[in-house]
């Protein structure tokens, strides 16, 4: 796959409510199952479309995106007080070991899916912490989201997460997307 990012000039598309047909707030919340005192990361947060909803239900959300332009756009819309923007690649998270109770990525896994990023997520996610991946499926039609050649299939996500020390609790292919919910069981100590 290679490194890929979303064009910041198209950021309006990231705020289109039609995105809910691929992942609703309620669906994400169900998979994430956060507690009010949780520390959570939105990996590939973009303009904060899903970040804001999760922020209403947890202590802190780290909105992680590699593009400063996305955080600038998010700031224009208003960032909740309990959201901290972090501009960095996923494989270089400036968070302490075990800092997070959970993390999620909606439609951005294909942008950072390498072993270094998965290892870094494992480092910052506490043992037993949950990772929710909802992304574009390689088997999709390709009319929405990135080109098919930029996507992964569910099998890739399962294998990559398993190799990275995660236990996959749920894996589901859908028409244009897939869902993978995993627990951090990496033994890095």
């Amino acid at each position: 796959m290679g490194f890929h990012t979303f064009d910041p000039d198209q950021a309006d598309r990231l705020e289109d409510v039609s995105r809910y047909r691929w992942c609703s707030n309620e669906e994400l919340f169900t998979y994430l199952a956060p507690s009010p005192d949780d520390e959570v990361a939105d990996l590939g947060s973009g303009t904060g479309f899903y970040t804001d909803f999760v922020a209403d239900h947890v202590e802190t959300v780290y909105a992680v995106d590699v593009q400063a332009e996305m955080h600038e756009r998010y700031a224009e819309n208003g960032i909740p007080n309990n959201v901290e923007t972090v501009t960095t690649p996923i494989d270089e998270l400036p968070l302490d070991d075990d800092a997070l109770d959970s993390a999620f990525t909606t439609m951005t896994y294909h942008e950072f899916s390498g072993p270094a990023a998965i290892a870094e997520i494992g480092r910052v996610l506490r043992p037993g912490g949950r990772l929710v991946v909802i992304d574009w499926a390689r088997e999709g039609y390709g009319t929405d989201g990135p080109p098919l050649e930029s996507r992964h299939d569910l099998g890739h996500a399962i294998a990559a997460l398993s190799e990275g020390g995660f236990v996959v609790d749920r894996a589901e292919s859908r028409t244009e997307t897939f869902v993978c919910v995993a627990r951090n069981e990496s033994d890095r100590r």
Side-chain angles (χ1 to χ4, degrees):
M1 286 305 117
F3 187 72
H4 160 83
T5 57
F6 191 85
D7 181 357
D9 292 335
Q10 301 290 318
D12 285 345
R13 292 178 43 207
L14 296 178
E15 297 171 20
D16 185 342
V17 296
S18 71
R19 292 182 69 197
Y20 290 134
R21 73 181 184 264
W22 309 120
C23 176
S24 70
N25 284 332
E26 293 78 12
E27 177 185 27
L28 177 60
F29 189 78
T30 298
Y31 295 142
L32 202 57
S35 296
D37 59 345
D38 278 1
E39 303 271 330
V40 178
D42 180 353
L43 306 172
S45 60
T47 60
F49 186 76
Y50 291 103
T51 313
D52 286 352
F53 178 79
V54 172
D56 286 343
H57 303 282
V58 300
E59 182 74 25
T60 305
V61 178
Y62 297 94
V64 180
D65 205 287
V66 71
Q67 298 180 88
E69 298 91 346
M70 292 298 184
H71 287 143
E72 291 166 9
R73 178 64 176 270
Y74 190 12
E76 290 172 10
N77 295 333
I79 299 174
N81 291 334
N82 66 331
V83 172
E84 181 178 327
T85 59
V86 181
T87 306
T88 187
I90 303 301
D91 60 359
E92 298 177 12
L93 296 170
L95 300 171
D96 292 337
D97 292 356
D98 305 333
L100 301 174
D101 297 290
S102 60
F104 66 96
T105 177
T106 52
M107 311 313 183
T108 56
Y109 171 76
H110 63 277
E111 295 182 11
F112 63 80
S113 58
I118 292 171
E120 185 69 346
I121 295 166
R123 181 188 68 78
V124 301
L125 194 60
R126 69 169 172 76
R130 186 175 295 200
L131 173 62
V132 177
V133 176
I134 302 173
D135 200 17
W136 298 104
R138 181 163 228 151
E139 301 80 17
Y141 300 117
T143 55
D144 290 289
L148 294 175
E149 62 271 9
S150 296
R151 303 176 182 198
H152 295 296
D153 60 21
L154 177 60
H156 174 278
I158 293 169
L161 292 174
S162 296
E163 289 169 15
F166 288 84
V167 173
V168 176
D169 293 322
R170 180 182 184 126
E172 175 184 317
S173 289
R174 306 185 303 188
T175 305
E176 196 71 15
T177 61
F178 66 80
V179 174
C180 197
V181 180
R183 280 178 287 115
N184 184 19
E185 298 296 333
S186 62
D187 183 19
R188 62 181 181 278
R189 292 177 174 78

Short mmCIF file of all heavy atoms in Angstrom, two decimals, residues 49-105:
data_model
loop_
_atom_site.label_atom_id
_atom_site.label_comp_id
_atom_site.label_asym_id
_atom_site.label_seq_id
_atom_site.Cartn_x
_atom_site.Cartn_y
_atom_site.Cartn_z
N PHE A 49 -14.80 14.89 12.51
CA PHE A 49 -16.16 14.44 12.26
C PHE A 49 -16.64 13.42 13.30
O PHE A 49 -17.72 13.57 13.87
CB PHE A 49 -16.27 13.84 10.85
CG PHE A 49 -17.66 13.48 10.42
CD1 PHE A 49 -18.55 14.46 10.03
CD2 PHE A 49 -18.07 12.16 10.38
CE1 PHE A 49 -19.83 14.13 9.61
CE2 PHE A 49 -19.34 11.82 9.95
CZ PHE A 49 -20.22 12.81 9.56
N TYR A 50 -15.83 12.41 13.59
CA TYR A 50 -16.18 11.42 14.60
C TYR A 50 -15.60 11.79 15.97
O TYR A 50 -16.12 11.37 17.00
CB TYR A 50 -15.70 10.03 14.19
CG TYR A 50 -16.47 9.47 13.02
CD1 TYR A 50 -15.93 9.46 11.73
CD2 TYR A 50 -17.74 8.93 13.19
CE1 TYR A 50 -16.63 8.95 10.65
CE2 TYR A 50 -18.46 8.42 12.11
CZ TYR A 50 -17.89 8.43 10.85
OH TYR A 50 -18.60 7.93 9.79
N THR A 51 -14.56 12.56 16.00
CA THR A 51 -13.89 12.94 17.25
C THR A 51 -14.87 13.63 18.20
O THR A 51 -14.91 13.31 19.39
CB THR A 51 -12.72 13.90 16.97
OG1 THR A 51 -11.93 13.39 15.90
CG2 THR A 51 -11.86 14.10 18.19
N ASP A 52 -15.62 14.58 17.69
CA ASP A 52 -16.53 15.36 18.53
C ASP A 52 -17.56 14.48 19.24
O ASP A 52 -17.84 14.67 20.41
CB ASP A 52 -17.26 16.42 17.70
CG ASP A 52 -16.38 17.58 17.31
OD1 ASP A 52 -15.25 17.68 17.80
OD2 ASP A 52 -16.84 18.42 16.51
N PHE A 53 -18.11 13.51 18.52
CA PHE A 53 -19.09 12.63 19.14
C PHE A 53 -18.47 11.82 20.28
O PHE A 53 -19.02 11.75 21.37
CB PHE A 53 -19.71 11.69 18.10
CG PHE A 53 -20.69 10.73 18.71
CD1 PHE A 53 -21.98 11.14 19.03
CD2 PHE A 53 -20.31 9.43 19.00
CE1 PHE A 53 -22.87 10.26 19.62
CE2 PHE A 53 -21.20 8.55 19.59
CZ PHE A 53 -22.49 8.97 19.90
N VAL A 54 -17.31 11.25 20.03
CA VAL A 54 -16.65 10.46 21.07
C VAL A 54 -16.27 11.36 22.24
O VAL A 54 -16.40 10.97 23.40
CB VAL A 54 -15.42 9.72 20.48
CG1 VAL A 54 -14.61 9.04 21.59
CG2 VAL A 54 -15.87 8.68 19.44
N ALA A 55 -15.85 12.58 21.97
CA ALA A 55 -15.45 13.52 23.03
C ALA A 55 -16.59 13.78 24.02
O ALA A 55 -16.33 14.03 25.20
CB ALA A 55 -14.96 14.83 22.43
N ASP A 56 -17.82 13.70 23.56
CA ASP A 56 -18.97 13.90 24.45
C ASP A 56 -19.11 12.80 25.49
O ASP A 56 -19.89 12.95 26.44
CB ASP A 56 -20.28 13.95 23.63
CG ASP A 56 -20.45 15.24 22.88
OD1 ASP A 56 -19.77 16.23 23.21
OD2 ASP A 56 -21.29 15.26 21.95
N HIS A 57 -18.37 11.70 25.33
CA HIS A 57 -18.58 10.52 26.17
C HIS A 57 -17.34 10.05 26.93
O HIS A 57 -17.41 9.03 27.62
CB HIS A 57 -19.09 9.37 25.31
CG HIS A 57 -20.36 9.71 24.59
ND1 HIS A 57 -21.59 9.71 25.21
CD2 HIS A 57 -20.57 10.11 23.32
CE1 HIS A 57 -22.51 10.07 24.34
NE2 HIS A 57 -21.92 10.33 23.19
N VAL A 58 -16.22 10.76 26.80
CA VAL A 58 -14.97 10.34 27.45
C VAL A 58 -14.27 11.52 28.10
O VAL A 58 -14.64 12.68 27.89
CB VAL A 58 -14.02 9.64 26.44
CG1 VAL A 58 -14.66 8.41 25.83
CG2 VAL A 58 -13.56 10.60 25.35
N GLU A 59 -13.22 11.22 28.85
CA GLU A 59 -12.42 12.26 29.50
C GLU A 59 -11.62 13.08 28.49
O GLU A 59 -11.66 14.30 28.49
CB GLU A 59 -11.48 11.62 30.52
CG GLU A 59 -10.63 12.60 31.31
CD GLU A 59 -11.43 13.35 32.35
OE1 GLU A 59 -12.47 12.86 32.81
OE2 GLU A 59 -11.00 14.47 32.69
N THR A 60 -10.86 12.37 27.62
CA THR A 60 -9.97 13.03 26.67
C THR A 60 -9.93 12.27 25.36
O THR A 60 -9.92 11.04 25.37
CB THR A 60 -8.52 13.09 27.23
OG1 THR A 60 -8.55 13.73 28.50
CG2 THR A 60 -7.59 13.84 26.30
N VAL A 61 -9.89 13.01 24.26
CA VAL A 61 -9.65 12.41 22.95
C VAL A 61 -8.44 13.11 22.34
O VAL A 61 -8.38 14.34 22.30
CB VAL A 61 -10.85 12.56 21.98
CG1 VAL A 61 -10.52 11.95 20.62
CG2 VAL A 61 -12.10 11.93 22.55
N TYR A 62 -7.49 12.31 21.88
CA TYR A 62 -6.36 12.82 21.11
C TYR A 62 -6.74 12.68 19.65
O TYR A 62 -6.92 11.58 19.14
CB TYR A 62 -5.09 12.03 21.42
CG TYR A 62 -4.68 12.15 22.86
CD1 TYR A 62 -5.07 11.22 23.80
CD2 TYR A 62 -3.91 13.25 23.28
CE1 TYR A 62 -4.72 11.36 25.14
CE2 TYR A 62 -3.56 13.39 24.61
CZ TYR A 62 -3.97 12.44 25.53
OH TYR A 62 -3.62 12.57 26.85
N ALA A 63 -6.88 13.82 18.98
CA ALA A 63 -7.21 13.84 17.56
C ALA A 63 -5.89 13.82 16.80
O ALA A 63 -5.20 14.83 16.69
CB ALA A 63 -8.01 15.09 17.22
N VAL A 64 -5.53 12.64 16.30
CA VAL A 64 -4.22 12.44 15.67
C VAL A 64 -4.38 12.50 14.16
O VAL A 64 -5.16 11.75 13.58
CB VAL A 64 -3.62 11.07 16.09
CG1 VAL A 64 -2.27 10.86 15.42
CG2 VAL A 64 -3.53 10.96 17.60
N ASP A 65 -3.62 13.38 13.54
CA ASP A 65 -3.60 13.44 12.08
C ASP A 65 -2.22 13.89 11.64
O ASP A 65 -1.58 14.71 12.32
CB ASP A 65 -4.67 14.40 11.54
CG ASP A 65 -5.06 14.05 10.12
OD1 ASP A 65 -4.27 14.29 9.19
OD2 ASP A 65 -6.16 13.48 9.94
N VAL A 66 -1.76 13.37 10.53
CA VAL A 66 -0.43 13.71 10.03
C VAL A 66 -0.43 15.09 9.34
O VAL A 66 0.62 15.69 9.16
CB VAL A 66 0.08 12.60 9.08
CG1 VAL A 66 -0.69 12.59 7.77
CG2 VAL A 66 1.57 12.72 8.85
N GLN A 67 -1.61 15.61 9.00
CA GLN A 67 -1.70 16.86 8.26
C GLN A 67 -2.16 18.02 9.14
O GLN A 67 -3.29 18.03 9.63
CB GLN A 67 -2.69 16.70 7.10
CG GLN A 67 -2.26 15.64 6.09
CD GLN A 67 -3.26 15.52 4.98
OE1 GLN A 67 -3.16 16.24 3.99
NE2 GLN A 67 -4.22 14.63 5.14
N ALA A 68 -1.31 19.00 9.31
CA ALA A 68 -1.66 20.18 10.09
C ALA A 68 -2.87 20.90 9.51
O ALA A 68 -3.67 21.48 10.24
CB ALA A 68 -0.46 21.13 10.16
N GLU A 69 -3.04 20.82 8.19
CA GLU A 69 -4.18 21.48 7.54
C GLU A 69 -5.51 20.94 8.06
O GLU A 69 -6.50 21.67 8.15
CB GLU A 69 -4.13 21.29 6.01
CG GLU A 69 -2.92 21.89 5.35
CD GLU A 69 -1.76 20.91 5.24
OE1 GLU A 69 -1.78 19.85 5.90
OE2 GLU A 69 -0.81 21.22 4.50
N MET A 70 -5.54 19.66 8.39
CA MET A 70 -6.78 19.08 8.92
C MET A 70 -7.07 19.64 10.31
O MET A 70 -8.22 19.97 10.62
CB MET A 70 -6.67 17.55 8.98
CG MET A 70 -6.64 16.91 7.62
SD MET A 70 -8.16 17.24 6.68
CE MET A 70 -7.82 16.27 5.22
N HIS A 71 -6.05 19.79 11.13
CA HIS A 71 -6.26 20.37 12.46
C HIS A 71 -6.65 21.85 12.36
O HIS A 71 -7.45 22.34 13.16
CB HIS A 71 -5.03 20.20 13.33
CG HIS A 71 -4.84 18.78 13.78
ND1 HIS A 71 -3.60 18.21 13.88
CD2 HIS A 71 -5.72 17.83 14.14
CE1 HIS A 71 -3.74 16.96 14.30
NE2 HIS A 71 -5.02 16.71 14.44
N GLU A 72 -6.09 22.55 11.40
CA GLU A 72 -6.47 23.95 11.20
C GLU A 72 -7.95 24.05 10.85
O GLU A 72 -8.68 24.90 11.37
CB GLU A 72 -5.61 24.58 10.10
CG GLU A 72 -4.16 24.75 10.51
CD GLU A 72 -3.22 25.04 9.35
OE1 GLU A 72 -3.70 25.29 8.21
OE2 GLU A 72 -1.99 25.01 9.58
N ARG A 73 -8.40 23.16 9.98
CA ARG A 73 -9.82 23.14 9.60
C ARG A 73 -10.69 22.78 10.81
O ARG A 73 -11.74 23.38 11.03
CB ARG A 73 -10.01 22.14 8.46
CG ARG A 73 -11.43 21.98 8.02
CD ARG A 73 -11.96 23.32 7.43
NE ARG A 73 -13.28 23.14 6.93
CZ ARG A 73 -13.58 22.77 5.69
NH1 ARG A 73 -12.63 22.57 4.80
NH2 ARG A 73 -14.83 22.62 5.33
N TYR A 74 -10.22 21.82 11.60
CA TYR A 74 -10.94 21.41 12.80
C TYR A 74 -11.06 22.61 13.74
O TYR A 74 -12.14 22.87 14.30
CB TYR A 74 -10.20 20.24 13.45
CG TYR A 74 -10.92 19.53 14.57
CD1 TYR A 74 -12.27 19.72 14.85
CD2 TYR A 74 -10.24 18.62 15.35
CE1 TYR A 74 -12.90 19.05 15.88
CE2 TYR A 74 -10.86 17.93 16.38
CZ TYR A 74 -12.19 18.15 16.64
OH TYR A 74 -12.81 17.47 17.66
N ALA A 75 -10.00 23.36 13.91
CA ALA A 75 -10.01 24.53 14.80
C ALA A 75 -11.02 25.58 14.32
O ALA A 75 -11.68 26.24 15.14
CB ALA A 75 -8.61 25.13 14.90
N GLU A 76 -11.15 25.75 13.01
CA GLU A 76 -12.12 26.70 12.47
C GLU A 76 -13.54 26.33 12.88
O GLU A 76 -14.38 27.20 13.09
CB GLU A 76 -12.04 26.73 10.94
CG GLU A 76 -10.78 27.37 10.40
CD GLU A 76 -10.66 27.19 8.89
OE1 GLU A 76 -11.63 26.75 8.23
OE2 GLU A 76 -9.56 27.48 8.37
N ASN A 77 -13.79 25.03 13.00
CA ASN A 77 -15.13 24.55 13.36
C ASN A 77 -15.37 24.54 14.86
O ASN A 77 -16.49 24.38 15.30
CB ASN A 77 -15.36 23.14 12.80
CG ASN A 77 -15.37 23.13 11.29
OD1 ASN A 77 -15.70 24.12 10.64
ND2 ASN A 77 -14.99 22.01 10.72
N GLY A 78 -14.29 24.66 15.64
CA GLY A 78 -14.39 24.63 17.10
C GLY A 78 -14.04 23.26 17.66
O GLY A 78 -14.73 22.29 17.38
N ILE A 79 -12.99 23.21 18.42
CA ILE A 79 -12.52 21.96 19.02
C ILE A 79 -12.99 21.91 20.47
O ILE A 79 -12.76 22.85 21.23
CB ILE A 79 -10.97 21.87 18.95
CG1 ILE A 79 -10.51 21.89 17.50
CG2 ILE A 79 -10.47 20.62 19.66
CD1 ILE A 79 -8.99 21.96 17.32
N PRO A 80 -13.65 20.82 20.87
CA PRO A 80 -14.08 20.70 22.27
C PRO A 80 -12.89 20.80 23.24
O PRO A 80 -11.76 20.45 22.89
CB PRO A 80 -14.71 19.30 22.33
CG PRO A 80 -15.11 19.00 20.92
CD PRO A 80 -14.07 19.68 20.06
N ASN A 81 -13.16 21.24 24.45
CA ASN A 81 -12.10 21.43 25.44
C ASN A 81 -11.36 20.15 25.80
O ASN A 81 -10.20 20.20 26.20
CB ASN A 81 -12.67 22.05 26.72
CG ASN A 81 -13.10 23.48 26.51
OD1 ASN A 81 -12.59 24.17 25.64
ND2 ASN A 81 -14.06 23.92 27.30
N ASN A 82 -12.01 19.00 25.69
CA ASN A 82 -11.37 17.76 26.07
C ASN A 82 -10.71 17.03 24.89
O ASN A 82 -10.39 15.85 24.98
CB ASN A 82 -12.34 16.82 26.79
CG ASN A 82 -13.46 16.34 25.90
OD1 ASN A 82 -13.87 17.03 24.96
ND2 ASN A 82 -13.98 15.16 26.20
N VAL A 83 -10.51 17.75 23.78
CA VAL A 83 -9.82 17.19 22.62
C VAL A 83 -8.47 17.88 22.47
O VAL A 83 -8.38 19.11 22.49
CB VAL A 83 -10.66 17.38 21.33
CG1 VAL A 83 -9.85 16.97 20.10
CG2 VAL A 83 -11.95 16.58 21.42
N GLU A 84 -7.44 17.08 22.33
CA GLU A 84 -6.09 17.59 22.09
C GLU A 84 -5.67 17.14 20.70
O GLU A 84 -5.64 15.94 20.41
CB GLU A 84 -5.13 17.03 23.14
CG GLU A 84 -3.73 17.53 22.97
CD GLU A 84 -2.78 17.01 24.04
OE1 GLU A 84 -3.22 16.79 25.18
OE2 GLU A 84 -1.60 16.80 23.70
N THR A 85 -5.35 18.10 19.84
CA THR A 85 -4.87 17.73 18.50
C THR A 85 -3.40 17.36 18.58
O THR A 85 -2.61 17.98 19.29
CB THR A 85 -5.08 18.88 17.49
OG1 THR A 85 -4.39 20.03 17.93
CG2 THR A 85 -6.56 19.19 17.31
N VAL A 86 -3.05 16.33 17.82
CA VAL A 86 -1.69 15.82 17.77
C VAL A 86 -1.33 15.63 16.30
O VAL A 86 -1.94 14.81 15.62
CB VAL A 86 -1.55 14.48 18.52
CG1 VAL A 86 -0.12 13.98 18.48
CG2 VAL A 86 -2.06 14.60 19.95
N THR A 87 -0.39 16.43 15.82
CA THR A 87 0.01 16.34 14.42
C THR A 87 1.27 15.48 14.33
O THR A 87 2.37 15.92 14.70
CB THR A 87 0.27 17.74 13.84
OG1 THR A 87 -0.88 18.56 14.05
CG2 THR A 87 0.58 17.66 12.35
N THR A 88 1.07 14.24 13.87
CA THR A 88 2.16 13.29 13.80
C THR A 88 1.75 12.08 12.98
O THR A 88 0.56 11.78 12.89
CB THR A 88 2.56 12.82 15.23
OG1 THR A 88 3.73 12.01 15.15
CG2 THR A 88 1.45 12.03 15.88
N PRO A 89 2.72 11.38 12.42
CA PRO A 89 2.39 10.09 11.82
C PRO A 89 2.00 9.09 12.93
O PRO A 89 2.45 9.21 14.07
CB PRO A 89 3.69 9.64 11.14
CG PRO A 89 4.57 10.85 11.10
CD PRO A 89 4.11 11.75 12.19
N ILE A 90 1.21 8.10 12.59
CA ILE A 90 0.74 7.12 13.58
C ILE A 90 1.90 6.32 14.15
O ILE A 90 1.86 5.89 15.29
CB ILE A 90 -0.32 6.18 12.95
CG1 ILE A 90 -1.50 6.99 12.40
CG2 ILE A 90 -0.79 5.13 13.95
CD1 ILE A 90 -2.22 7.86 13.39
N ASP A 91 2.97 6.14 13.40
CA ASP A 91 4.09 5.36 13.92
C ASP A 91 5.05 6.17 14.80
O ASP A 91 6.10 5.68 15.20
CB ASP A 91 4.86 4.67 12.79
CG ASP A 91 5.44 5.62 11.77
OD1 ASP A 91 5.25 6.85 11.89
OD2 ASP A 91 6.09 5.13 10.83
N GLU A 92 4.65 7.40 15.16
CA GLU A 92 5.48 8.25 16.02
C GLU A 92 4.60 8.98 17.05
O GLU A 92 4.77 10.17 17.29
CB GLU A 92 6.22 9.29 15.18
CG GLU A 92 7.19 8.71 14.19
CD GLU A 92 7.85 9.77 13.31
OE1 GLU A 92 7.74 10.98 13.60
OE2 GLU A 92 8.49 9.37 12.32
N LEU A 93 3.70 8.28 17.69
CA LEU A 93 2.78 8.91 18.64
C LEU A 93 3.51 9.44 19.87
O LEU A 93 4.21 8.68 20.54
CB LEU A 93 1.70 7.91 19.06
CG LEU A 93 0.79 7.43 17.95
CD1 LEU A 93 -0.07 6.26 18.42
CD2 LEU A 93 -0.08 8.57 17.43
N PRO A 94 3.35 10.72 20.19
CA PRO A 94 4.04 11.31 21.34
C PRO A 94 3.25 11.10 22.64
O PRO A 94 2.97 12.04 23.38
CB PRO A 94 4.12 12.79 20.96
CG PRO A 94 2.87 13.02 20.17
CD PRO A 94 2.66 11.74 19.40
N LEU A 95 2.88 9.86 22.89
CA LEU A 95 2.11 9.50 24.08
C LEU A 95 2.91 8.48 24.88
O LEU A 95 3.70 7.72 24.32
CB LEU A 95 0.76 8.90 23.69
CG LEU A 95 -0.17 9.79 22.86
CD1 LEU A 95 -1.36 9.00 22.35
CD2 LEU A 95 -0.63 10.98 23.69
N ASP A 96 2.67 8.44 26.18
CA ASP A 96 3.34 7.48 27.05
C ASP A 96 2.85 6.06 26.77
O ASP A 96 1.76 5.86 26.24
CB ASP A 96 3.06 7.80 28.52
CG ASP A 96 3.72 9.09 28.97
OD1 ASP A 96 4.72 9.52 28.35
OD2 ASP A 96 3.23 9.68 29.95
N ASP A 97 3.66 5.08 27.17
CA ASP A 97 3.22 3.69 27.13
C ASP A 97 1.93 3.57 27.92
O ASP A 97 1.78 4.18 28.98
CB ASP A 97 4.27 2.78 27.78
CG ASP A 97 5.56 2.69 26.98
OD1 ASP A 97 5.65 3.26 25.88
OD2 ASP A 97 6.50 2.03 27.49
N ASP A 98 0.99 2.77 27.41
CA ASP A 98 -0.28 2.49 28.09
C ASP A 98 -1.11 3.74 28.38
O ASP A 98 -1.92 3.75 29.30
CB ASP A 98 -0.03 1.73 29.41
CG ASP A 98 0.77 0.46 29.23
OD1 ASP A 98 0.72 -0.12 28.14
OD2 ASP A 98 1.45 0.05 30.19
N ALA A 99 -0.93 4.79 27.61
CA ALA A 99 -1.64 6.05 27.85
C ALA A 99 -3.12 5.99 27.51
O ALA A 99 -3.92 6.74 28.06
CB ALA A 99 -0.99 7.18 27.05
N LEU A 100 -3.50 5.09 26.61
CA LEU A 100 -4.87 5.09 26.08
C LEU A 100 -5.67 3.89 26.54
O LEU A 100 -5.16 2.78 26.64
CB LEU A 100 -4.83 5.07 24.55
CG LEU A 100 -4.11 6.22 23.87
CD1 LEU A 100 -4.05 5.97 22.36
CD2 LEU A 100 -4.78 7.55 24.18
N ASP A 101 -6.96 4.14 26.78
CA ASP A 101 -7.89 3.06 27.05
C ASP A 101 -8.39 2.43 25.77
O ASP A 101 -8.68 1.23 25.72
CB ASP A 101 -9.08 3.59 27.87
CG ASP A 101 -8.63 4.11 29.21
OD1 ASP A 101 -8.24 3.27 30.06
OD2 ASP A 101 -8.65 5.34 29.41
N SER A 102 -8.50 3.23 24.71
CA SER A 102 -8.93 2.73 23.41
C SER A 102 -8.51 3.69 22.31
O SER A 102 -8.11 4.83 22.58
CB SER A 102 -10.45 2.50 23.39
OG SER A 102 -11.14 3.70 23.64
N ALA A 103 -8.63 3.20 21.09
CA ALA A 103 -8.32 4.01 19.92
C ALA A 103 -9.24 3.56 18.79
O ALA A 103 -9.72 2.43 18.78
CB ALA A 103 -6.86 3.84 19.51
N PHE A 104 -9.47 4.46 17.85
CA PHE A 104 -10.29 4.11 16.70
C PHE A 104 -9.79 4.82 15.46
O PHE A 104 -9.12 5.85 15.53
CB PHE A 104 -11.77 4.43 16.95
CG PHE A 104 -12.10 5.90 17.08
CD1 PHE A 104 -12.56 6.63 15.99
CD2 PHE A 104 -11.98 6.55 18.30
CE1 PHE A 104 -12.88 7.98 16.12
CE2 PHE A 104 -12.30 7.88 18.44
CZ PHE A 104 -12.74 8.61 17.35
N THR A 105 -10.09 4.23 14.34
CA THR A 105 -9.77 4.81 13.05
C THR A 105 -10.93 4.54 12.10
O THR A 105 -11.38 3.41 11.97
CB THR A 105 -8.43 4.28 12.49
OG1 THR A 105 -8.21 4.84 11.19
CG2 THR A 105 -8.39 2.76 12.43
#
